[in-house]
Amino acid sequence: MAPAFLPLFYFLLFFFFAFHLPLCFSGESSAMESVPDLQNTMYKVIDGDPCVRLLNLSGPIGCASQFKPNTQFHVCVFLDPGRDKVLAPIIGFENVDGMSESSAILVSFEDFPSLFNRISDDLSFASKVAGVLVKSRTDVQNNLKGFSPDQKFPQAQFAPYHNFSYEWNPIGSGIMWKYYNFPVFLLTESATATIEEFVIRNENKKRAYTSNVAEFDLVMQTTKSGTHDSKSCLKEATCLPLGGYSVWSSLPPINVSSSKQSKPIILAVASMDSASFFRDKSLGADSPISGLIALLAAVDALSHVHGLGDLSKQLVFAVFTGEAWGYLGSRRFLVELEINSDAVHGLNHSSIETVVELGSVGKGYNEGVKNFFAHKEGGSAATDMTMTALKRAQESLLSANIKVASASASNPGIPPSSLMTFSKENSAISGVVLEDFDSVFVNKFYHSHLDDLSNVNSSAVVAAASLVARTLYILASDSKDVEDSVLASINVNVSLVKQLMGCLLACDPGLSCELVNKYISPTSTCPSHYVGVIVDEPSSTPYPGYINDVPRFVWNFLADITSIPREYINSSGCQQGCSRDEVCIKAETDGKGVCILSTTRYVPAYSTRLKYESGVWNVLPSNSSDIMEIVDPVWTESNWNSIGMRVYTVQNAAYDRIVLFGGIALTILSYLGVAFSRALITKAMKRD
């Protein structure tokens, strides 16, 4: 019996391992020399930009992993805190109707809105979505009529009028304001190709024992701790307030030591933050960065004009951040003015005569003509003067084919803009917003990652900068008879505009461009205009490491071009400190910096309902007399330990069970074989 049994046993043992091991290693062993090599062979790390979890006083929006242990779900929960991950097979959007288990869906951007509409309308379907992977293509804008994840009237609650149903953004879907309990990633083009290959493999292996899966690492601490709104997560320290630092500057510098009555202020403003469904893809090329670039170019043009100090009024420029999230920058700026803080030393709230805002101006170009619309708030004499100055500036630019018209009287009021804050805070403050649209946004990708460099026209930005630069000079001179020769001398540097567009709206050259590197050492190459979070106690002289790249660049750039040239330059730079009226620029690039005479300041930007006390952010009760505070959402961003994604091949549960039971059977057979062999050997030895 022994001779017949043992060969069968060893044949089964050999057959099992010969069948199993090659499938595990797939012939890669010759290339693997270390554990990292094995990991690189097994796992492919996927590059992408995530949708993250944000919170307000009412609850969360955005995306995060949700953990519900269930045998029907491919969910892996690890014991290490913060390392919980979601694991799911990948399927294409075209196959979702046959989806029988929780899966990660690969979807083109053309089908992205349809998928999320179905997720919102079909809860049964939504429960099977373990994650969404969005494909990237360079030409996707050409195949879309438009895409805006924002609301049809963005931030309507802050409007100084009550027609909240008006649709400034008719293409808006509002999906970025909803909450999804699964991860969503926007893939890079190379990652898209990798995932598409995995999906094809899954389709070809429908009856095989393996499947290709995506592993998501997108654990929000607010999800794990059960803090579901801003007040609770700030208390538990699982989130941080949205915010950062705005910048203001004056031309020429303000003599803060002078006892003379300050001049009336002409305040020119723009925004430097945008929003997107995907946190780090908030370029906002047309809305609002085209306005920021136009303002910087206008300030540069005015800085070359002599005699600005002799004009009747003071030019002040403000660049706000956090405007896409409850007008954090402009609202905090007004509070700082009210309490006369160090951040706005030299400014007087009552001295602001009018506000000129540059909004979306990058699409104001049509068949060679640059068209802009002036949206005015208030019917004061100052507003009329601004409109007159715009017309006068336009006349001086006739050869440039620039046209500016008053916005339609049928509009409910001014469009979403920082001017809303000024108007609602103080109805006596009037102003004008310059836009590239009349009654509805012409930007079809408002607050979308598709609002990129290809969505704006440099000629339109140059035209807007030229128009505003000359308008501001006319307003500051307080004269209707500004000489044509003076206006003709105010010219925008076209090369500077193109350089700023390349630096702030693209990854190549991006923030590694020569202009940015002249002033700061950026932390990344690709620009993102997401507001970020405010980390430490707000200050008028914040630690540079707590300030995002773009605000640091804007501060250095404005300080430089608005400064008064010094008769001597201190070779030791800023190491011995600058005088009271001076600021230090370029300190990041050479370690020394340069002291210059300039009135350029940082202003903290965060919710007016927050207070930093003893290292903790506290939510203050709303002031019943302050309408803006009552509607303030108090936005925060959830903390996280890591964000990432990788794909690999796994065996299905049925095959795992076969391996398990096969192993058990072989173990039993091995035991029986050994026992039987031992009995035979013992019996034979006794005979001998």
Side-chain angles (χ1 to χ4, degrees), residues 32 87 257 296 351 444 451 462 509 687:
M32 293 185 292
L87 188 68
S257 304
L296 296 180
S351 297
K444 300 301 182 184
D451 185 11
V462 170
R687 287 177 181 173

Side-chain angles (χ1 to χ4, degrees), residues 339-625:
I339 63 177
N340 195 25
S341 73
D342 290 340
V344 291
H345 185 53
L347 294 183
N348 190 321
H349 187 282
S350 60
S351 297
I352 299 176
E353 184 175 277
T354 192
V355 177
V356 178
E357 181 172 358
L358 284 92
S360 306
V361 297
K363 298 184 74 65
Y365 186 87
N366 185 19
E367 297 181 356
V369 179
K370 297 88 175 180
N371 292 298
F372 301 101
F373 296 88
H375 300 255
K376 62 181 181 179
E377 176 65 21
S380 67
T383 304
D384 294 337
M385 286 180 62
T386 304
M387 296 301 294
T388 301
L390 277 168
K391 289 293 184 183
R392 177 73 177 87
Q394 175 196 315
E395 291 169 0
S396 71
L397 291 163
L398 280 177
S399 61
N401 282 331
I402 299 174
K403 294 183 179 180
V404 58
S406 295
S408 173
S410 62
N411 292 348
I414 56 175
S417 57
S418 301
L419 185 56
M420 283 184 167
T421 300
F422 286 87
S423 177
K424 202 149 187 174
E425 183 71 23
N426 185 353
S427 58
I429 296 179
S430 59
V432 169
V433 186
L434 191 69
E435 303 275 11
D436 54 17
F437 63 88
D438 184 2
S439 298
V440 297
F441 295 171
V442 294
N443 181 8
K444 300 301 182 184
F445 303 108
Y446 181 81
H447 280 179
S448 159
H449 69 284
L450 300 176
D451 185 11
D452 58 18
L453 183 58
S454 67
N455 198 39
V456 291
N457 184 287
S458 61
S459 296
V461 178
V462 170
S466 303
L467 187 65
V468 168
R470 297 189 181 189
T471 298
L472 292 175
Y473 184 87
I474 294 169
L475 289 172
S477 65
D478 199 21
S479 173
K480 297 179 181 178
D481 301 317
V482 178
E483 295 182 6
D484 290 340
S485 59
V486 176
L487 292 180
S489 69
I490 305 174
N491 294 300
V492 168
N493 184 339
V494 177
S495 297
L496 174 63
V497 170
K498 292 182 178 179
Q499 198 172 4
L500 285 168
M501 291 177 70
C503 296
L504 300 179
L505 298 178
C507 290
D508 185 16
L511 296 178
S512 63
C513 69
E514 182 180 352
L515 179 60
V516 171
N517 280 271
K518 176 182 175 182
Y519 295 106
I520 69 168
S521 298
T523 57
S524 63
T525 299
C526 289
S528 174
H529 303 295
Y530 174 68
V531 59
V533 295
I534 191 158
V535 178
D536 205 2
E537 183 174 11
S539 169
S540 59
T541 55
Y543 170 61
Y546 291 153
I547 310 171
N548 291 342
D549 290 338
V550 174
R552 295 200 324 278
F553 164 69
V554 169
W555 184 90
N556 278 269
F557 180 81
L558 284 178
D560 189 17
I561 64 176
T562 61
S563 64
I564 295 177
R566 294 179 53 165
E567 296 180 0
Y568 69 94
I569 297 177
N570 190 342
S571 60
S572 64
C574 309
Q575 293 175 335
Q576 296 180 358
C578 301
S579 69
R580 181 181 178 185
D581 294 333
E582 293 179 332
V583 295
C584 179
I585 64 170
K586 305 180 182 179
E588 295 181 40
T589 57
D590 60 8
K592 296 191 300 183
V594 180
C595 290
I596 58 171
L597 184 61
S598 175
T599 309
T600 303
R601 306 280 187 268
Y602 284 116
V603 184
Y606 60 97
S607 170
T608 57
R609 286 195 59 187
L610 291 177
K611 188 175 183 179
Y612 190 83
E613 298 176 301
S614 303
V616 178
W617 288 97
N618 295 310
V619 179
L620 303 174
S622 62
N623 184 348
S624 58
S625 62

Side-chain angles (χ1 to χ4, degrees), residues 55 215 321 327 516 539 578:
L55 304 96
E215 180 188 83
T321 191
Y327 299 107
V516 171
S539 169
C578 301

